[in-house]
Amino acid sequence: MTTLAADLPQPQESPINAPMLAAWRDEGALALQRCEVCDRTVFYPRPMCPHCHAMRLVWTRVSGTGRIVSYSRIHRGLPPVFRADAPIVLAEIALAEGSLMIARVITSGEVHTGMPVRLVPPREAGRYPLPTFEPA
């Protein structure tokens, strides 16, 4: 049984992260900031590029694909709202555009380092309050 997004803890929306959350909530898409100076993508949302310190970050849609760098399969110690979904996989994902992101991976099967992942389909995105991946 999978819980609904409304039942899960919600991200705290701010002017800085609102475009990313709206892209996910409204379209099941992943939006990241990209620096207009050094052309690198940025995750997590912030006002200044962590690579070149420029204040010229713009929002862009990205592919939503990547590879697992590292992961943890969590079986115990979860808040009650997550217990029905245990175990939960949280992974560090190297996105195709170069940024690293921590996100949930929905799978009942094997997980391994280097595994290709993609965003869950847009029709399923509404079940999760934050960008969520599945095996590609």
Side-chain angles (χ1 to χ4, degrees), residues 9 77-84:
L78 293 164
V81 71
F82 291 105
R83 287 187 190 141

Side-chain angles (χ1 to χ4, degrees), residues 43-97:
F43 181 82
Y44 58 90
R46 60 190 89 191
M48 179 175 63
C49 177
H51 308 291
C52 72
H53 309 292
M55 300 292 283
R56 294 179 45 197
L57 295 174
V58 295
W59 287 96
T60 185
R61 298 296 166 90
V62 296
S63 67
T65 63
R67 294 192 175 275
I68 293 177
V69 174
S70 182
Y71 69 94
S72 180
R73 190 180 297 267
I74 304 165
H75 295 266
R76 298 183 300 173
L78 293 164
V81 71
F82 291 105
R83 287 187 190 141
D85 293 339
I88 289 176
V89 175
L90 291 180
E92 179 181 29
I93 298 169
L95 297 171
E97 293 77 14

Side-chain angles (χ1 to χ4, degrees), residues 32-35 38-43 49-51 57 60 62 95-100:
L32 294 182
Q33 292 171 302
R34 182 184 54 77
C35 180
C38 69
D39 201 38
R40 293 176 73 177
T41 57
V42 175
F43 181 82
C49 177
H51 308 291
L57 295 174
T60 185
V62 296
L95 297 171
E97 293 77 14
S99 291
L100 293 172

Side-chain angles (χ1 to χ4, degrees), residues 19-31 61 119-122 124-133:
M20 181 190 78
L21 295 175
W24 180 250
R25 181 179 55 243
D26 299 342
E27 302 169 45
L30 182 57
R61 298 296 166 90
L119 289 174
V120 296
E124 293 182 32
R127 295 169 59 187
Y128 308 102
L130 289 169
T132 302
F133 292 78

